[in-house]
Amino acid sequence: MTYCPCYHRGNRIVNRNNMSALSELNQQIGACQKCQVLTKNRTNVVPGEGAEDAEIMFIGEAPGWNEDKQGLPFVGQAGMFLNELLASINLRRNQIYITNIIKCRPQGNRDPLLSEIQNCRPWLDRQIEIISPKMIVTLGRYSMATFFPGKSISKIHGTALKKDNIIYYAMYHPAAALHQRSLRQTIQDDMKRIPSLLASAEAIKPVTPEAQQLTMFEV
Ligand code: URA
């Protein structure tokens, strides 16, 4: 029998050193050197922040300048708008979990490379496994493409997909509203749908494996 250093305390998985599974994972992410260029240029790795037992996980694209400096996600201008959006549905950041598809800042805020997304994917998968959220909200194109491959953000924002008992919900990136004022209201409206979607999540029947891939519903 293999020795597992982890056990459950309440909802949390902790290890024998009394460190939560998520803190342990974040330490590992912090030491990651899989992407040479990102490793060389980063000030801090930005694993994520929030409640280990969060019901909702928000997944953005990549840390920006402020996030790289502070080691925390969404602390710049887009983060301020995200805080406003969360407040509009009575959520505080310590009630949710926020992370990104990639955990290190691409220089000059360029788009993440496919290789970087792939290198970082096991960290994201493990975060999802530990937090075990009821709902994953993707923020922006890159995050959406991870969970809704082949879709277009302009078509599927504000819609959700239920798979493996998790509701995946696609939204525009909050930064999109900073560049394109007209998207602000759309993003606010999409955010306001989250509570009812989450409330109805329990009532949604488990679907067959074939249907799981196809259960896309408007909310
Ligand atoms: N944009 C993102 O996608 N993530 C951050 O953490 C900050 C800005």
Side-chain angles (χ1 to χ4, degrees), residues 60-64 67 73-74 78 100 173:
E61 185 173 308
E67 290 76 21
F74 283 95
N100 285 300
H173 196 287

Side-chain angles (χ1 to χ4, degrees), residues 56-94:
I56 314 179
M57 210 169 154
F58 286 82
I59 305 180
E61 185 173 308
W65 189 89
N66 291 291
E67 290 76 21
D68 172 70
K69 291 286 168 270
Q70 295 185 40
L72 294 169
F74 283 95
V75 288
Q77 261 196 301
M80 278 191 249
F81 183 39
L82 180 59
N83 292 348
E84 247 180 68
L85 292 166
L86 291 170
S88 77
I89 56 168
N90 295 318
L91 280 180
R92 277 169 285 114
R93 284 174 68 128
N94 63 5

